[in-house]
Amino acid sequence: MSSGGDDARDVALKARRENFPVASRLLPRGHRHHLLAVYGFARFVDDIGDEPGHGDPLRLLDAVETDLRRLYAGRTPYLPAVRDLEATVTACSLPPAPFHRLVEANRRDQTVTRYKTFDELLDYCELSANPVGHIVLHVFGVAAPDRLDLSDRICTALQIIEHCQDVGEDYARGRIYLPNEDLQRFGCVDADLAEASTPGRLRDVVALQTERAERLLHEGDPLVASVNGLARLAIAGYIAGGHATVAALRQAEHDVLGRTVRPRGTRLVRAWLRILARRGLGRGRP
């Protein structure tokens, strides 16, 4: 088992490879530490179901939930990824429900391998993506019902974008996150998802999901103007990451099998600055 320092460095390195600025160096160390702890937990839970060699995923996910209950009961958790949350949960008064929903999303991944409709996919995002946005708002102390709703739109969009990027990787793991009704509508068959280059009909399906995600990002835009300071900077970064990746997908003509589609850092920074400039740097409401 790695030392705590090695684990922390590994989490930081993985975070830097994400499309979205998980814990930007523009943020103070304390906020970066909290966001990386949350990211580390989410990454750990994802890896239980996605990476080989972890044993029985459902049993391990049960162990994570048990450890979360230990944490919220004031006892020391056994698992490092849960133990690393202790200081963040206390300092930011994080509620337990979002963490349990992330575990439930990965439990669902063990039994549900495809989604019939876009609405079913949205229901999955309620577990797999939206809880992260709730936690982030609590980390910055700006959680409120209307902001949580806007955050849900942004996080769902980011999840859908990631599904578009990872079509081949997900299929190799036995999962399809593109809605079956859309695959059928454009005449796709499962074998299309294993091609070396994305067939045109599959590109059309990916393009449709990309458009839906972009629309959700725009619907979530008002969240930026509703907050101040560091929260505004971070949230604008997440939205910028989404828009930059949408642009990268379009530039690649939605060929997500023949290449790794990721936005360049410069494109992400430009999108970030545009969002901050468009929304202004004046005060949001408290």
Side-chain angles (χ1 to χ4, degrees):
M1 181 177 293
S2 299
S3 68
D6 289 341
D7 289 341
R9 283 191 293 271
D10 184 53
V11 167
L13 286 171
K14 286 182 179 179
R16 289 174 197 162
R17 291 195 292 267
E18 295 287 336
N19 291 335
F20 317 109
V22 174
S24 169
R25 292 184 180 182
L26 297 175
L27 297 174
R29 182 181 300 234
H31 284 82
R32 289 204 313 272
H33 172 80
H34 294 321
L35 293 174
L36 284 172
V38 172
Y39 173 80
F41 173 83
R43 187 77 266 154
F44 171 71
V45 174
D46 280 346
D47 287 348
I48 288 175
D50 289 344
E51 302 298 333
H54 286 291
D56 180 354
L58 290 174
R59 181 182 62 79
L60 290 171
L61 290 170
D62 287 343
V64 173
E65 286 221 289
T66 299
D67 233 18
L68 282 171
R69 287 192 286 271
R70 287 181 62 84
L71 171 62
Y72 278 91
R75 302 196 301 273
T76 301
Y78 296 121
L79 299 168
V82 182
R83 197 160 56 241
D84 288 345
L85 288 174
E86 281 186 289
T88 297
V89 165
T90 300
C92 304
S93 300
L94 301 183
F99 294 107
H100 286 285
R101 286 163 64 198
L102 290 175
V103 176
E104 183 57 32
N106 285 274
R107 186 177 282 114
R108 182 176 294 188
D109 277 336
Q110 307 310 308
T111 57
V112 179
T113 59
R114 59 176 65 201
Y115 294 85
K116 293 180 182 178
T117 67
F118 186 66
D119 284 342
E120 285 189 3
L121 186 63
L122 292 180
D123 181 66
Y124 170 71
C125 291
E126 282 284 341
L127 298 174
S128 67
N130 298 357
V132 176
H134 291 202
I135 295 168
V136 168
L137 292 180
H138 279 284
V139 165
F140 287 99
V142 295
D146 56 340
R147 288 177 181 149
L148 293 173
D149 179 65
L150 292 170
S151 172
D152 286 349
R153 297 169 191 273
I154 295 166
C155 291
T156 291
L158 298 182
Q159 179 76 86
I160 293 168
I161 291 167
E162 185 174 312
H163 289 328
C164 289
Q165 294 172 283
D166 295 342
V167 168
E169 182 179 329
D170 289 333
Y171 183 67
R173 289 171 171 158
R175 299 182 193 138
I176 300 175
Y177 291 105
L178 301 175
N180 194 54
E181 66 178 5
D182 295 330
L183 291 168
Q184 291 181 345
R185 170 185 165 191
F186 287 98
C188 294
V189 295
D190 285 5
D192 291 338
L193 283 71
E195 294 287 344
S197 180
T198 314
R201 54 183 176 255
L202 181 56
R203 295 187 193 211
D204 290 339
V205 176
V206 174
L208 175 60
Q209 313 315 314
T210 302
E211 290 168 7
R212 287 168 167 168
E214 185 177 43
R215 189 159 54 246
L216 286 166
L217 284 174
H218 285 307
E219 290 175 4
D221 268 354
L223 182 59
V224 178
S226 77
V227 295
N228 297 312
L230 296 174
R232 179 176 293 199
L233 181 68
I235 292 166
Y238 299 136
I239 296 174
H243 283 299
T245 310
V246 165
L249 285 163
R250 287 185 174 139
Q251 185 175 29
E253 298 180 337
H254 302 99
D255 181 11
V256 293
L257 299 181
R259 65 186 79 183
T260 300
V261 181
R262 295 285 185 270
R264 294 180 179 176
T266 52
R267 172 175 277 167
L268 192 154
V269 170
R270 286 198 301 269
W272 201 339
L273 293 174
R274 278 198 303 271
I275 290 169
L276 287 172
R278 184 172 70 241
R279 299 304 173 193
L281 291 173
R283 291 182 60 82
R285 64 177 179 78

